[in-house]
Amino acid sequence: MSSFERTVELLMQEEVICNTAYSAEFAFLNDNIKRSEVDVFLRRINRSVAKTSDNLGYLMVYNDLSDSNRKRRVTAQFKKIEGEMATLVEWLRFARNIDANSNPISAGERITESELLAAIDVVTAACRAADRYLQQAWPPSQSP
């Protein structure tokens, strides 16, 4: 199967093509001429290739959402992504504690087991402290 075919198939399967998951297809789309060829092909079916806002991924998008069926399909895609991403977002929020400055993790960044365990200890200690505080402060005092 050619690079063009693999790339178009991934896009048609609603995959986001990034360097981490699909390095060959990502490199293919980074070539302006090849991306233009894919875009011309997709435009025949009212779609095109778009870059993510951080320029680290490519995805297929509709060119026109005026049709109600397309709107429903896009809404369903967002709901599916939202459901799939909720757990990942929670994990990323947790993993952000690994960095002293609470910087988010980037693609390809490595996290060591010791960093992860240290973050778990910090979060666990913070949860225990919050629990103790709430037990002392609850119920709130009633002031006249």
Side-chain angles (χ1 to χ4, degrees), residues 13-101:
Q13 292 168 9
E14 300 170 355
E15 293 288 332
V16 175
I17 298 176
C18 68
N19 194 38
T20 303
Y22 302 106
S23 58
E25 292 78 8
F26 183 78
F28 182 82
L29 288 171
N30 265 337
D31 181 312
N32 290 337
I33 293 170
K34 293 174 182 172
R35 186 175 61 250
S36 177
E37 291 171 358
V38 171
D39 210 39
V40 166
F41 177 80
L42 292 175
R43 286 185 186 281
R44 295 174 68 189
I45 56 172
N46 191 36
R47 292 168 176 84
S48 59
V49 177
K51 272 188 177 182
T52 58
S53 61
D54 59 5
N55 294 320
L56 297 176
Y58 294 95
L59 64 154
M60 182 184 67
V61 296
Y62 284 101
N63 292 333
D64 178 15
L65 286 174
S66 60
D67 180 64
S68 62
N69 287 331
R70 287 186 202 132
K71 284 182 187 175
R72 276 194 296 278
R73 184 172 172 138
V74 169
T75 300
Q77 287 172 333
F78 274 110
K79 286 182 180 183
K80 177 184 173 208
I81 290 169
E82 179 184 36
E84 292 172 348
M85 298 297 279
T87 303
L88 175 61
V89 168
E90 287 302 316
W91 187 86
L92 289 171
R93 284 183 181 148
F94 163 75
R96 191 172 50 197
N97 291 321
I98 292 171
D99 184 276
N101 298 318

Side-chain angles (χ1 to χ4, degrees), residues 106-119:
S106 342
E109 191 171 342
R110 298 206 187 271
I111 301 171
T112 66
E113 183 178 359
S114 61
E115 290 171 323
L116 192 55
L117 290 173

